[in-house]
Amino acid sequence: MNKPIDPALLQSAEAFADYAANTAARIDTGAEAEALAQGARVGISRPHESAHLHVAGEATYTDDLPELAGTLHCALGLSPVAAGRLEALDLDAIRAMPGVVDVIVADDIPGANDCGSIVHDDPLLCPVGPQDDGATGGEIRFLGQPLFAVIARTRTEARRAAARAKEAARVVPAEPVLTPQQAHARGQYVVPPMHLARSDKGVAVRAAIEAAPHRLKGELDVGGQEQFYLEGQISYAIPKEGGTMQVYCSTQHPTEMQHLVAHALHLHSNEVHIECRRMGGGFGGKESQSGLFACIAAVAANKLRRPVKLRPDRDDDFLITGRRHCFWYEYEVGFDDEGRILGAEISMVSRAGHSADLSGPVMTRALCHFDNAYWLPEVSMHGFSGRTNTQSNTAFRGFGGPQGAIAVEYVLDSIARQLDRDALDVRRANFYGKTERNVTPYGQVIRDNVIHELVGQLESSCDYRARRDAITAFNAKSPVLKRGLALTPIKFGISFNVPHFNQAGALVHVYTDGSILVNHGGTEMGQGLNTKVAQVVAHELGVEFERVRATATDTTKVANTSATAASTGADLNGKAAQDAARQIRQRLADFAARRHGGTADAVRFANGKVQVAGRELSFATLVAEAYTDRVQLWSDGFYSTPGLHWNSQTMQGHPFYYFAYGAAVSEVVVDTLTGEWKLLRADVLHDAGRSLNPAVDIGQVEGAFIQGMGWLTTEELVWHPGNGKLLTHAPSTYKIPTANDCPPVFNVRLFDGPNAEDSIHRSKAVGEPPLLLPFSVFFAIRDAVSAAGGHRADPPLRAPATSEAILRALTAVQAAPAAA
Ligand code: MTE
Ligand code: LUZ
Ligand code: MOS
């Protein structure tokens, strides 16, 4: 039967078709086809290596592995209070429940009861009662903290039993500390406060602010964000011979999982084997926080000598794991008549949660991104990572960079309004120079600044000035609907800000049939890392992309890897794989010249063929010949980023190999009666250097833009102010963007230009930087709110700019007195 089609659906289908056509048009397939024919395998748009498996539902995630006979399931019993003391656990009733095989408590952990990433302050299970070490004994740190683990025959039985935690736990509750402000007032932090000042410890900054023609002082609140990876946290632990352990784990950091499991089980690293084929998203949430799940599954598997799977459901995942840090800022700036900042002082206080996790490096990155694209002649910054009775906050795309940069954007937006200038002009007046005004507050000289050209190109391609005039005219005639426009730039430092993490290894195997396998230390979370690394290997060996396969990340293959994080996956692992492939190519070239004549230098590898001494062989033929000549056809490769140094005491150095740039323009319409809004159009120009794969990179830019827009608009985390329970722990109460939230006009282009540094094929990291692009959405909303008050008052808009927050800001600007 033909059902009438819902017109709303039709409209969105049309929008989608437009959108798809638009996406295809943005990839210059002509030039790429030419390069491909010439033998290039990098710089080519090609689908994600697993795309066909993703869409067919055939890509295997950890939970899809066939379960071994005897597999048991684990569920965690969670603390019902946010603070207090765990006096006792009465587990008899739980042990008697159907299907329950065992209940594991802190005392069952043979080794360290800890999954701390850098600081060892993160218990796996809350210990009961007063402990010898006094400090952590029996201390409940947040509502949702795991107290015990139920092991049962089925996952449902385990969850039913674990849900009895409230009856089992005898607790003496205490008053929780929930907000960054409360933690700051008590001076309780997870890591020591940090101070970063350009000169003389920030003395000059007070003088600069006080001498400035104009001053501005204020506060800002920016909320946190749940990673909302579609595949939740999961680990499947399998005991192996001789007391060793294998864990399949959805993780960005297999090596750290190896270390943590080894410590928890009191094993050596060589007795623990971690494997991850892919994640259904990580977004930073599986950089450190997969550790708890890996360790508890391993402890249970070790105790029972049976395979144990731990897959919390979404609500428990929300209640147990941390996310992006919310920040609270107090700032004061001095500026001149052009809006140029002369001095700035800012305090940033984050909600770190109950333990350190990655809060220290996150705050470091926040402080190193307050400058964003701007020269701040005198600046003094203070970072406080507040210890609170909440989940321990962690990495999330951007890793504090977005939280640092949004503060300076907020300040510049306010300055422009105070001076009655267009915000783009004020931003531009503050841009870093190319050869002067080009030193960051942390002492790194910026040598690759492209922000002027990039913003100039975007400003004209999106018709910024004409649209500004059109919006002013629209707003003059429209009392209820108000439009807003904003252009925001980004500069994002690439490298781990802990220098020694900037290293990677890879293995390349060429088999005798000419097929190639690459294994590297990075992990695949949907970002296309395996695709890019396979492209690099195919390019180096001059073969078809299809000939190269990337395999699961595995601690028994490449050792001592860093997390796939800080956007460095392709930079580090691409270079390591290139190193391995080059060694093989050199051996093959040497052999070819020996066998067929000519010099090794003259041997050419392209399109699956080898040219040697006027002859053409297939790659497979040469490989088979080389094998019989006993040439080594596999190699390892290694890379470490050159030139990095960082003094964490003085907060000075050269923490970043290079910077990635970008800019976005967003236009919104706000309904001033309801606070509802819509993104009408977004134009993005993003710097991915000489992109390894433009299609994948555009996908990263689009995804990050929409994800960042969710952070700044609809995604709101609410903890009960009394009992400290995270109330927004499911999609019903926590609103992430959907396909329908994509703007009908979404022009995303890559900026044309190679990396100034010798990165892998002169590309630039693209994973995190574009998360900052939707600042433009937030400031377009702020512009529209400002218009509702005739641009007389500076809207006090916090992030996320939910409809309620927009209404509050509207009320504030409409109540403001008319300018004198
Ligand atoms: N893209 C997808 N599809 N899924 C993810 O989980 N994580 C982001 C980004 N893009 C993520 C993603 C984060 S937080 C980082 S640090 C980088 O990918 C990591 O991968 P890369 O270094 O290979 O870019
Ligand atoms: N630094 C950083 C880090 O800049 N990004 C990261 O993801 C990270 N992770 C761990 C430690 N330092
Ligand atoms: Mo990304 S936040 O560095 O995992």
Side-chain angles (χ1 to χ4, degrees), residues 254-255 273-277 504-511 516-524 529-530 533-534 537 548-561 572-581 584 634-638:
T255 288
H273 175 186
I274 309 287
E275 190 176 323
C276 177
R277 169 60 186 94
L507 290 172
V508 173
H509 293 184
V510 176
Y511 293 100
I516 299 163
L517 186 141
V518 58
N519 186 273
H520 56 85
T523 55
E524 177 63 44
L529 176 59
N530 282 343
V533 172
V537 171
V548 184
R549 229 166 70 77
T551 52
T553 318
D554 184 326
T555 55
T556 65
K557 292 189 173 148
V558 175
N560 313 329
T561 60
L572 299 177
N573 297 286
K575 276 278 191 184
Q578 183 184 48
D579 178 37
I584 299 170
W634 55 272
S635 179
D636 63 331
F638 183 75

Side-chain angles (χ1 to χ4, degrees), residues 551-627:
T551 52
T553 318
D554 184 326
T555 55
T556 65
K557 292 189 173 148
V558 175
N560 313 329
T561 60
S562 295
T564 307
S567 306
T568 60
D571 284 25
L572 299 177
N573 297 286
K575 276 278 191 184
Q578 183 184 48
D579 178 37
R582 274 194 178 156
Q583 295 180 48
I584 299 170
R585 192 188 58 189
Q586 189 61 47
R587 287 185 211 130
L588 284 172
D590 290 343
F591 163 75
R594 260 195 330 270
R595 169 70 55 97
H596 299 286
T599 63
D601 286 354
V603 180
R604 288 284 165 270
F605 296 80
N607 291 328
K609 302 277 191 301
V610 184
Q611 316 284 338
V612 49
R615 299 183 48 187
E616 181 177 279
L617 283 74
S618 76
F619 180 78
T621 305
L622 181 69
V623 162
E625 288 179 3
Y627 168 74

Side-chain angles (χ1 to χ4, degrees), residues 120-455:
H120 298 293
D121 64 346
D122 215 332
L124 298 167
L125 294 171
C126 183
V128 176
Q131 298 280 306
D132 300 341
D133 68 357
T136 57
E139 182 200 350
I140 294 177
R141 288 140 162 251
F142 68 104
L143 195 156
Q145 179 178 359
L147 306 179
F148 59 89
V150 176
I151 317 300
R153 282 179 321 218
T154 67
R155 185 166 173 268
T156 307
E157 287 167 332
R159 290 187 59 207
R160 277 206 190 110
R164 296 281 186 89
K166 198 172 172 176
E167 293 100 274
R170 264 198 278 140
V171 297
V172 182
E175 193 69 24
V177 171
L178 298 173
T179 65
Q181 288 89 335
Q182 288 168 350
H184 194 42
R186 292 172 176 230
Q188 61 177 57
Y189 309 114
V190 296
V191 291
M194 301 175 183
H195 303 282
L196 198 177
R198 182 183 292 281
S199 58
D200 58 4
K201 295 196 161 67
V203 178
V205 83
R206 291 308 319 168
I209 293 172
E210 272 146 36
H214 308 275
R215 282 157 72 170
L216 180 71
K217 200 172 168 166
E219 312 185 15
L220 173 65
D221 266 305
V222 172
Q225 188 183 20
E226 165 62 31
Q227 288 89 2
F228 223 111
Y229 24 63
L230 289 187
E231 176 211 33
Q233 301 276 0
I234 180 168
S235 271
Y236 184 32
I238 300 165
K240 294 283 176 166
E241 64 176 26
T244 63
M245 187 61 59
Q246 176 168 18
V247 185
Y248 293 95
C249 179
S250 183
T251 182
Q252 293 171 242
H253 202 344
T255 288
E256 185 164 294
M257 300 306 104
Q258 180 189 20
H259 293 166
L260 292 172
V261 168
H263 288 148
L265 298 185
H266 215 70
L267 294 175
H268 291 114
S269 290
N270 68 0
E271 296 169 304
V272 177
H273 175 186
I274 309 287
E275 190 176 323
C276 177
R277 169 60 186 94
R278 60 168 66 79
M279 286 159 274
F283 304 111
K286 295 168 181 171
E287 179 172 342
S288 62
Q289 303 231 342
S290 42
L292 176 89
F293 306 95
C295 287
I296 292 180
V299 166
N302 179 63
K303 181 174 182 209
L304 301 168
R305 302 312 299 171
R306 284 174 68 177
V308 173
K309 187 187 275 189
L310 173 48
R311 173 167 68 84
D313 88 323
R314 182 67 59 175
D315 302 77
D316 288 350
D317 198 316
F318 260 90
L319 288 174
I320 295 167
T321 67
R323 44 194 67 79
R324 183 188 299 287
H325 298 66
C326 72
F327 270 60
W328 169 62
Y329 315 80
E330 285 180 309
Y331 55 82
E332 187 173 3
V333 296
F335 54 97
D336 67 13
D337 296 338
E338 311 294 308
R340 267 190 291 258
I341 293 178
L342 303 173
E345 180 155 25
I346 185 162
S347 286
M348 309 189 186
V349 187
S350 72
R351 176 175 1 223
H354 70 88
S355 69
D357 193 87
L358 298 169
S359 297
V362 165
M363 183 57 79
T364 301
R365 188 170 276 275
L367 297 177
C368 291
H369 282 75
F370 176 65
D371 61 334
N372 195 18
Y374 310 110
W375 161 248
L376 305 174
E378 291 298 339
V379 58
S380 173
M381 303 174 247
H382 318 284
F384 305 92
S385 306
R387 182 189 297 277
T388 51
N389 293 110
T390 52
Q391 296 80 7
S392 191
N393 282 332
T394 188
F396 190 146
R397 207 170 194 171
F399 202 79
Q403 292 98 316
I406 198 168
V408 78
E409 293 299 342
Y410 198 83
V411 167
L412 289 170
D413 194 63
S414 295
I415 289 176
R417 203 165 284 111
Q418 191 169 322
L419 296 176
D420 197 21
R421 283 174 177 263
D422 191 279
L424 174 56
D425 297 332
V426 169
R427 289 190 160 100
R428 192 174 258 137
N430 282 282
F431 280 166
Y432 274 113
K434 293 242 177 193
T435 52
E436 44 174 24
R437 293 160 46 98
N438 65 341
V439 184
T440 64
Y442 44 91
Q444 177 160 350
V445 179
I446 303 170
R447 296 203 196 84
D448 58 7
N449 186 353
V450 295
I451 202 66
H452 300 263
E453 303 90 291
L454 192 150
V455 166

Side-chain angles (χ1 to χ4, degrees), residues 117-118 287 358 361 365 395 399 495-498 501 563 565-566 656 768:
S117 180
I118 298 174
E287 179 172 342
L358 298 169
R365 188 170 276 275
F399 202 79
S495 293
F496 285 95
N497 57 20
V498 177
F501 290 159
F656 305 122
E768 295 170 287

